[in-house]
Amino acid sequence: MRKYVIMGVQGSGKGTQSALLAADLDLVHISVGDIFRWHVKNHTKLGAQVRRLVAAGELVGDDLVEDVVSDRLQLHDWNYGFIIDGFPRNRRQAEFFLESYDLDGVIHLDLPDDEVRRRVLARRLCSRCGMDYNLIAHRPSTEGRCDVCGGELVTRADDTPEALARRLRDYHTKIDPVVELFRRKEYVMTIDARAGKTTVQQAIRTRLGLPPYAPPHPAESA
Ligand SMILES: [Zn+2]
């Protein structure tokens, strides 16, 4: 049984790295963002609550996140363990988490703010089918057009430099103290997230003492 927390700012590749690790080790990948998106998409009561908060320009509160994570962990479907992404969000939750679950490690993907800005501001979205693009890592074959449906590529409404600066500030204010708390308990493995996804995955596995990563499609590794 392996129990990991993964932390990192938006654009650090948290989702990608969690998915690679989870697939290989049969871990349940618990992504708080994905859970909320699922509720919004499926029009649940929780989804409606999240939609109201977002429409009012507010963030989903820490208590609500905590409830969702507790419910998810109580399903106990994680026979081989879990990797959790998007939690804990404050020191109290981190302390509670350390007491309740025997964590094996905290993977901290470290990405400088200027690189976050470079990556996030390069994101594009197809206005027709919703496919994600990135002008650095995943360019469309025709500029400004979706490869799948030919729709126009647009920037997400919240991917402006101002909104991103605000999110970065919020992240550091809230999450840096959580990383620090874990670091004092010697759980944290800081990984340089500037490299390509295969290199980062390899670095994570080395730090966790796992066998080397074998990418399924070597041609896609960068
Ligand atoms: Zn499209």
Side-chain angles (χ1 to χ4, degrees), residues 125-133 145-153:
L125 172 76
C126 174
S127 56
R128 197 181 295 166
C129 75
M131 177 93 173
D132 286 311
Y133 291 86
R145 291 282 151 200
C146 176
D147 291 344
V148 179
C149 75
E152 190 193 350
L153 300 188

Side-chain angles (χ1 to χ4, degrees), residues 6-194:
I6 190 162
M7 309 193 79
V9 70
Q10 169 185 36
S12 63
K14 232 173 4 154
T16 305
Q17 296 301 332
S18 307
L20 288 173
L21 211 55
D24 198 42
L25 301 174
D26 274 330
L27 305 179
V28 172
H29 176 201
I30 301 174
S31 158
V32 172
D34 286 351
I35 295 173
F36 283 128
R37 276 187 287 276
W38 184 91
H39 281 280
V40 169
K41 192 168 162 236
N42 290 280
H43 302 280
T44 66
K45 204 171 146 199
L46 176 61
Q49 203 177 341
V50 171
R51 246 197 329 265
R52 272 197 304 276
L53 286 168
V54 172
E58 288 171 40
L59 293 170
V60 177
D62 291 350
D63 292 345
L64 189 56
V65 171
E66 189 170 337
D67 291 346
V68 163
V69 171
S70 303
D71 287 352
R72 181 64 191 80
L73 286 169
Q74 272 159 26
L75 292 180
H76 283 282
D77 57 344
W78 32 281
N79 299 321
Y80 298 98
F82 58 75
I83 180 161
I84 186 158
D85 158 0
F87 186 86
R89 307 226 298 194
N90 58 41
R91 296 170 55 98
R92 184 183 56 75
Q93 290 175 349
E95 272 159 5
F96 170 78
F97 208 43
L98 281 173
E99 281 161 22
S100 314
Y101 296 94
D102 194 13
L103 286 184
D104 292 288
V106 175
I107 301 160
H108 174 225
L109 296 179
D110 188 30
L111 196 68
D113 285 358
D114 55 353
E115 178 62 11
V116 174
R117 276 188 284 272
R118 196 177 79 92
R119 289 186 183 188
V120 170
L121 298 179
R123 296 199 298 202
R124 297 293 182 273
L125 172 76
C126 174
S127 56
R128 197 181 295 166
C129 75
M131 177 93 173
D132 286 311
Y133 291 86
N134 187 295
L135 303 183
I136 304 165
H138 178 203
R139 302 185 66 90
S141 14
T142 308
E143 199 185 317
R145 291 282 151 200
C146 176
D147 291 344
V148 179
C149 75
E152 190 193 350
L153 300 188
V154 296
T155 306
R156 287 171 193 276
D158 58 349
D159 278 354
T160 63
E162 298 73 31
L164 177 60
R166 199 164 52 238
R167 291 201 296 276
L168 277 169
R169 215 164 38 235
D170 285 349
Y171 177 85
H172 289 302
T173 306
K174 283 182 71 95
I175 304 302
D176 287 358
V178 177
V179 175
E180 201 41 52
L181 183 143
F182 282 136
R183 203 187 303 282
R184 277 205 300 279
K185 312 264 181 188
E186 300 181 7
Y187 280 102
V188 176
M189 287 159 263
T190 296
I191 308 286
D192 183 350
R194 286 172 299 180

